[in-house]
Amino acid sequence: MTEQDTAAVVDTTEDEQVLGQAPEEDGEDETRDEADIAADYIEELLDICDLDGDIEIEERAGRVYLTVTDDGEALRVLAKPDTVSALQELTRIAVQAETGEFSRLILDIGGSRDARATELQRLVDTAVERIEAGSTTAALPPMSSYERKLVHDLVAEKGFHSESEGEGRDRHTVVTR
């Protein structure tokens, strides 16, 4: 084989490698990876706790939502709001450790998010009633950024204004007319 033949083989091989490369991963693949990592983490946790649960993965507005359900009451211990928040943070850390990227996933266990949304709706209704009765503001208790976002949306639906105030664990929402 001559030097020119070798160069042609090398050039062909390099071109084939470029053409044969898998396309770069887009955001959808990354989201799927995040979801799979999170689901595996939760599944392993359920196994350790000897609990059965079905895991559903959904993506909305670029955010992964993991929902864990069961047919009975087995998940009620894990479905407490503080427990769900802690498990969500642990799951986010597990995803971040593997991907190197910050995760914004939302975890729902046994309908805990729906129950909390209903509770937040009651808080907003009470705050609006206080303002309509003459108060200039109504402060809600401290809550997570996700819950504050839900509250802001609920308040806006009622035609009122809300702002988050405070720092860290004391960050809360204040409703005004």
Side-chain angles (χ1 to χ4, degrees):
M1 188 178 257
T2 67
E3 196 172 302
Q4 286 178 330
D5 292 336
T6 306
V9 169
V10 169
D11 287 343
T12 303
T13 306
E14 288 175 359
D15 289 342
E16 288 171 355
Q17 287 175 351
V18 170
L19 293 174
Q21 284 179 347
E24 288 189 25
E25 293 183 9
D26 59 9
E28 185 176 311
D29 289 338
E30 290 173 18
T31 302
R32 193 171 319 114
D33 290 341
E34 176 184 9
D36 290 341
I37 293 165
D40 289 345
Y41 182 81
I42 294 297
E43 188 173 332
E44 191 171 325
L45 174 78
L46 292 173
D47 287 344
I48 290 169
C49 295
D50 196 26
L51 295 172
D52 291 326
D54 297 320
I55 300 173
E56 294 178 24
I57 301 169
E58 193 179 340
E59 182 189 343
R60 288 181 256 154
R63 183 176 267 195
V64 173
Y65 288 77
L66 243 60
T67 304
V68 183
T69 57
D70 70 342
D71 292 334
E73 294 290 316
L75 296 176
R76 71 178 150 72
V77 172
L78 296 179
K80 295 179 181 175
D82 289 341
T83 305
V84 173
S85 292
L87 291 174
Q88 178 176 282
E89 284 306 308
L90 289 172
T91 305
R92 285 177 173 178
I93 290 169
V95 169
Q96 185 174 359
E98 192 160 328
T99 65
E101 300 288 325
F102 177 75
S103 172
R104 296 179 18 175
L105 74 88
I106 299 296
L107 178 64
D108 180 17
I109 299 178
S112 60
R113 293 284 175 194
D114 289 339
R116 183 62 175 154
T118 300
E119 186 178 332
L120 292 174
Q121 180 66 60
R122 282 194 302 266
L123 286 171
V124 167
D125 290 344
T126 301
V128 167
E129 287 171 9
R130 287 196 331 234
I131 292 171
E132 288 176 338
S135 293
T136 56
T137 64
L140 302 179
M143 55 188 74
S144 70
S145 60
Y146 175 76
E147 291 174 336
R148 287 193 315 274
K149 169 68 172 117
L150 292 177
V151 166
H152 291 307
D153 292 345
L154 293 169
V155 168
E157 285 175 13
K158 295 208 171 267
F160 287 78
H161 180 72
S162 61
E163 289 185 22
S164 293
E165 294 182 359
E167 298 295 325
R169 292 180 164 258
D170 293 329
R171 195 143 176 89
H172 61 281
T173 307
V174 176
V175 180
T176 57
R177 189 168 285 280

